Amino acid sequence: MRLGFIVRTLVALSVAGLAIGYVLTEPAWVAQDPLPFRTPDLANGQTMFDIGGCTHCHATPGQDDRLRLGGGLALDTPFGTFKMPNISSDPGAGLGAWTEVQFVNAMLAGIGRKGDHLFPAFPYASYQRMPVDDVRDLYAFLKTVPPDPTASQSHQLPLPFSIRRGVGAWKLLFMDGRPFVADPAKDAAHNRGAYLVEGPGHCAECHSRRNILGGIVPTGRFAGGPGATGTGWVPNITPHQDGLAEWSLRDMESFLQTGLAPAGYPVEGEMAAIIANTSKLSPADRSAIAAYLNSLPARPGKRPSKTP
């Protein structure tokens, strides 16, 4: 009798736990109804496109047109291989048939068009800081790029990483749903830089250490870490001696425009593609980014002597 009671209790607790987990991992929508009418600011949409580095991930590999957004780039990570999707204006393969509300939910909440969780290889943990109007402007700008009929490819992820419902638990740990809030103690330039870096620029997504679940380690934020693929090293960009302590604001502004480090050597690898985007920003925005990076807490994060 006692054993039967224990078994029934354990089964009931397990069922209750699964039910609670199912509810907690349900996708949380930002909006489900059409948004109020507004005239989009396409220039701002292009700025969001450039600072967001959309072309870096979503442009079709092997060609030079940064607005050919047919996707296909493969990102090999410790969690599996993510295939970057088509985000062109094509109504079948791209975003052409997406509504504005669907796009806003994807950007701010990591929810796909069919209501499923998107994998956080798409950096919505940073995009959640964006105000809705900036996301709407980006949506309007993407509607202006040429359509590309290339079909998006499926991700290649092993279990359990392929279970999208599990992403809901990841979001509970690493997303708070809070938009960017300006610091009233700082000037407009600082706050603009903070927004661009922390939000659409998603700089911390690459320049930070991560834990075994793929979440950014707060004490290592911006202090560098292994590349997303598990190889190489993404540098420390804090004003620490392991990072950019020797860089002046003018050095950083120039780097964001030309890709040349203070010592005169050109940037290489993936950062070269990022510079291709930041070079298109206004001088004021590059200056704001430099000012914010210079104000970050100086955190140690030295490149290992042996990097895989």
Side-chain angles (χ1 to χ4, degrees), residues 82-210:
F82 295 93
K83 298 294 184 68
M84 301 300 104
N86 183 326
I87 61 167
S88 77
S89 61
D90 189 88
L95 300 178
W98 282 53
T99 68
E100 189 178 48
V101 168
Q102 289 170 339
F103 185 76
V104 165
N105 279 298
M107 289 287 294
L108 301 184
I111 298 175
R113 190 181 178 194
K114 296 179 180 179
D116 52 345
H117 289 296
L118 299 177
F119 293 107
F122 179 49
Y124 48 76
S126 290
Y127 293 155
Q128 66 177 328
R129 308 298 178 210
M130 298 174 67
V132 171
D133 282 353
D134 277 1
V135 177
R136 297 179 74 181
D137 288 341
L138 174 59
Y139 170 83
F141 176 77
L142 288 172
K143 287 285 192 175
T144 71
V145 305
D148 187 312
T150 306
S152 297
Q153 302 173 45
S154 298
H155 302 309
Q156 298 171 359
L157 309 177
L159 289 170
F161 306 122
S162 59
I163 301 174
R164 290 183 182 268
R165 195 75 186 198
V167 177
W170 187 94
K171 290 179 179 179
L172 290 175
L173 293 173
F174 303 113
M175 289 187 69
D176 56 27
R178 298 173 185 168
F180 173 79
V181 177
D183 184 345
K186 303 293 185 180
D187 62 23
H190 173 96
N191 282 311
R192 175 65 173 176
Y195 167 62
L196 293 176
V197 168
E198 299 284 0
H202 62 281
C203 304
E205 301 288 343
C206 286
H207 289 276
S208 305
R209 297 196 309 275
R210 292 181 179 270

Side-chain angles (χ1 to χ4, degrees), residues 13-308:
L13 290 174
S14 297
V15 171
L18 289 172
I20 292 171
Y22 188 84
V23 171
L24 290 177
T25 58
E26 180 75 14
W29 302 87
V30 174
Q32 290 184 288
D33 297 321
L35 298 167
F37 174 80
R38 68 184 287 273
T39 300
D41 183 341
L42 290 178
N44 184 52
Q46 182 169 0
T47 295
M48 295 301 105
F49 177 85
D50 290 332
I51 186 61
C54 305
T55 188
H56 176 54
C57 283
H58 296 281
T60 304
Q63 53 85 41
D64 297 327
D65 184 355
R66 68 191 299 269
L67 295 182
R68 183 182 170 190
L69 303 176
L73 178 70
L75 181 63
D76 295 317
T77 78
F79 303 100
T81 300
F82 295 93
K83 298 294 184 68
M84 301 300 104
N86 183 326
I87 61 167
S88 77
S89 61
D90 189 88
L95 300 178
W98 282 53
T99 68
E100 189 178 48
V101 168
Q102 289 170 339
F103 185 76
V104 165
N105 279 298
M107 289 287 294
L108 301 184
I111 298 175
R113 190 181 178 194
K114 296 179 180 179
D116 52 345
H117 289 296
L118 299 177
F119 293 107
F122 179 49
Y124 48 76
S126 290
Y127 293 155
Q128 66 177 328
R129 308 298 178 210
M130 298 174 67
V132 171
D133 282 353
D134 277 1
V135 177
R136 297 179 74 181
D137 288 341
L138 174 59
Y139 170 83
F141 176 77
L142 288 172
K143 287 285 192 175
T144 71
V145 305
D148 187 312
T150 306
S152 297
Q153 302 173 45
S154 298
H155 302 309
Q156 298 171 359
L157 309 177
L159 289 170
F161 306 122
S162 59
I163 301 174
R164 290 183 182 268
R165 195 75 186 198
V167 177
W170 187 94
K171 290 179 179 179
L172 290 175
L173 293 173
F174 303 113
M175 289 187 69
D176 56 27
R178 298 173 185 168
F180 173 79
V181 177
D183 184 345
K186 303 293 185 180
D187 62 23
H190 173 96
N191 282 311
R192 175 65 173 176
Y195 167 62
L196 293 176
V197 168
E198 299 284 0
H202 62 281
C203 304
E205 301 288 343
C206 286
H207 289 276
S208 305
R209 297 196 309 275
R210 292 181 179 270
N211 58 30
I212 60 173
L213 297 178
I216 291 176
V217 177
T219 56
R221 192 172 179 85
F222 297 111
T229 60
T231 61
W233 185 262
V234 182
N236 185 329
I237 57 172
T238 75
H240 188 274
Q241 62 182 6
D242 294 339
L244 306 181
E246 302 300 320
W247 289 43
S248 68
L249 289 178
R250 183 166 295 182
D251 288 336
M252 178 57 71
E253 292 170 14
S254 176
F255 177 75
L256 293 171
Q257 181 179 15
T258 67
L260 292 176
Y265 57 83
V267 68
E268 297 179 346
E270 292 189 17
M271 192 62 198
I274 302 302
I275 296 299
N277 296 316
T278 58
S279 66
K280 298 184 183 305
L281 299 176
S282 69
D285 278 347
R286 287 194 296 269
S287 178
I289 291 170
Y292 180 66
L293 292 177
N294 189 59
S295 75
L296 291 173
R299 290 177 171 144
K302 191 173 183 179
R303 182 187 185 100
S305 57
K306 292 185 179 180
T307 304

